[in-house]
Amino acid sequence: SNEELPSTDIITLTRHVLAQQFQLGAIATGDLTLLLTAIQTTSKFIATNVRKARLINLVGLAGNSNVQGEEQKKLDVLSNDIMVNSLRASGKTAVLVSEELEEAVIIEDKFKGKYCVVFDPLDGSSNIDAGVNIGTIFGVYQIAPGSKGTISDVLRPGSEMVAAGYTMYGSSCNLVLSTGNGVNGYTLDTALGEFILTHPDIKIPSRGKIYSFNEGNSMYFHKPVVNYLNSIKYPTTGKLPYSARYIGSMVADVHRTLLYGGIFGYPDDKKSKSGKLRLLYEAFPMAYLTEQAGGVASTGHGRILDVVPTNIHQRCPVFLGSRDDVNDLIRFYEEYEKEV
Ligand code: P6P
């Protein structure tokens, strides 16, 4: 019969990454692929727990113990524990930085590998009760040649990352990843327990029609941001105004920006002098993905990926998205800096 035969050529994340590593020639030892497999496993665990937590919250169980009566760990703590344990057990990591941990984790020699992973295990978790999409954000450095794996291996510009990605937990579980050769999106097939390639070679449109800022901070915004926003809300050149979309969960706002185009911004302002988003495990990975998808990611004063971190939890202003839109914003900073 002519009904659609199931595709026998499904491309799993692991197969796709391996194929890309082989394209890089013999240097690929498979270590990065194994590390990414560990990251995939954590994403599946977290997806399950996020879904379960929604169910448990929905049935409105009393207090904060779950059906087994165990102490209900906060989801972001649980997600952090899953990631630290899985990444350590992979034997491929040397240094871990988590939004949940004040200090970096230096992996003991027995389990030590050559990669450093910086991550926010469950970004936007304050939104979970509202059913808003939340996610895991991660970036990967290879330890510097000759280094044993210390904090200095992660206090490096995002341009030195070898991979970055996020997993978004929503109606489906989407993992978006780059290992330096473009950006690909995978969707978790829960029946197979595999991430399947669904968005090959994501390219962000050169210009969009959406701006994504928390305008509740408008009274604190610096002049260049005010002037830029006015230019797209009250266009004088006969163009249509941009549409406002702000979810308040970085993974969801960035995912929409990568697919639809436009600009996402969390500026520094009079209230937050370096903005709110963290440099290592929010700004760097999202800037890496944005550039790999053909977009621009700026602090307003320079390329996000060129920033040299001095503290693993420092914050950074973020403007990222379509090339033409972010360049428009940068021009307002350049004009302002000429005036002062
Ligand atoms: P605001 C979530 O708490 C988060 O860290 C990011 O996911 C999100 O982009 C940002 O904060 C939202 O912050 O101040 O607009 O609520």
Side-chain angles (χ1 to χ4, degrees):
S1 69
N2 64 357
E3 89 253 1
E4 188 70 17
L5 285 175
S7 155
T8 53
D9 193 21
I10 51 167
I11 301 181
T12 63
L13 191 159
T14 305
R15 174 180 157 191
H16 197 227
V17 170
L18 263 176
Q20 287 188 326
Q21 295 303 316
F22 288 144
Q23 277 166 12
L24 295 177
I27 51 162
T29 60
D31 279 353
L32 182 62
T33 303
L34 281 170
L35 175 68
L36 293 172
T37 302
I39 290 175
Q40 278 183 79
T41 303
T42 60
S43 293
K44 295 178 200 173
F45 263 86
I46 295 169
T48 307
N49 285 296
V50 165
R51 215 165 298 287
K52 225 177 358 184
R54 283 203 178 120
L55 184 70
I56 290 170
N57 284 349
L58 281 181
V59 301
L61 283 178
N64 60 1
S65 64
N66 59 19
V67 285
Q68 290 81 10
E70 296 145 9
E71 173 57 28
Q72 176 78 29
K73 264 190 179 175
K74 277 173 60 69
L75 260 183
D76 38 13
V77 173
L78 187 72
S79 303
N80 176 70
D81 296 353
I82 288 168
M83 288 200 76
V84 170
N85 296 340
S86 174
L87 290 172
R88 167 186 283 117
S90 76
K92 302 298 170 196
T93 62
V95 182
L96 305 179
V97 169
S98 169
E99 192 266 349
E100 290 290 329
L101 300 174
E102 195 47 45
E103 302 300 327
V105 175
I106 308 295
I107 301 294
E108 62 274 30
D109 287 351
K110 195 169 73 172
F111 289 97
K112 208 160 209 174
K114 63 183 183 186
Y115 292 107
C116 306
V117 186
V118 296
F119 56 90
D120 187 345
L122 203 57
D123 183 80
S125 52
S126 57
N127 293 294
I128 187 153
D129 296 347
V132 169
N133 286 12
I134 55 179
T136 299
I137 310 171
F138 60 90
V140 182
Y141 293 96
Q142 186 160 334
I143 56 175
S147 164
K148 279 188 55 56
T150 64
I151 193 78
S152 60
D153 286 297
V154 292
L155 292 178
R156 294 152 67 189
S159 54
E160 295 182 20
M161 286 185 171
V162 294
Y166 59 80
T167 305
M168 183 169 72
Y169 309 107
S171 49
S172 60
C173 179
N174 293 92
L175 195 157
V176 174
L177 172 71
S178 174
T179 56
N181 308 293
V183 179
N184 293 290
Y186 308 84
T187 303
L188 181 62
D189 176 329
T190 47
L192 286 176
E194 288 280 6
F195 280 99
I196 306 299
L197 179 65
T198 48
H199 296 72
D201 196 24
I202 295 173
K203 287 288 177 231
I204 189 167
S206 57
R207 181 178 286 282
K209 304 185 179 68
I210 294 170
Y211 72 101
S212 187
F213 287 67
N214 180 345
E215 292 197 86
N217 295 323
S218 295
M219 71 178 275
Y220 307 114
F221 285 164
H222 291 311
K223 212 153 167 325
V225 175
V226 172
N227 293 343
Y228 169 69
L229 290 176
N230 284 336
S231 77
I232 55 176
K233 290 162 71 175
Y234 310 94
T236 52
T237 52
K239 289 195 192 111
L240 288 174
Y242 276 39
S243 191
R245 289 284 184 279
Y246 191 73
I247 301 168
S249 175
M250 189 185 196
V251 172
D253 280 317
V254 171
H255 189 67
R256 184 206 53 248
T257 304
L258 282 180
L259 296 184
Y260 293 3
I263 181 168
F264 168 78
Y266 206 107
D268 55 315
D269 61 25
K270 295 165 191 158
K271 186 178 62 161
S272 322
K273 70 173 182 47
S274 301
K276 174 185 182 182
L277 300 177
R278 307 285 181 170
L279 176 62
L280 238 54
Y281 40 78
E282 287 178 314
F284 276 165
M286 294 314 205
Y288 186 97
L289 289 169
T290 299
E291 291 197 0
Q292 284 288 322
V296 169
S298 173
T299 63
H301 301 282
R303 189 176 172 234
I304 288 177
L305 293 181
D306 287 342
V307 176
V308 180
T310 50
N311 171 303
I312 59 173
H313 295 298
Q314 74 187 68
R315 300 173 194 270
C316 170
V318 172
F319 302 99
L320 62 80
S322 293
R323 183 196 60 212
D324 296 348
D325 290 316
V326 180
N327 284 336
D328 284 350
L329 170 113
I330 292 169
R331 240 190 309 287
F332 279 92
Y333 269 89
E334 289 166 345
E335 277 163 28
Y336 181 69
E337 272 139 24
K338 274 189 218 129
E339 281 164 25
V340 298

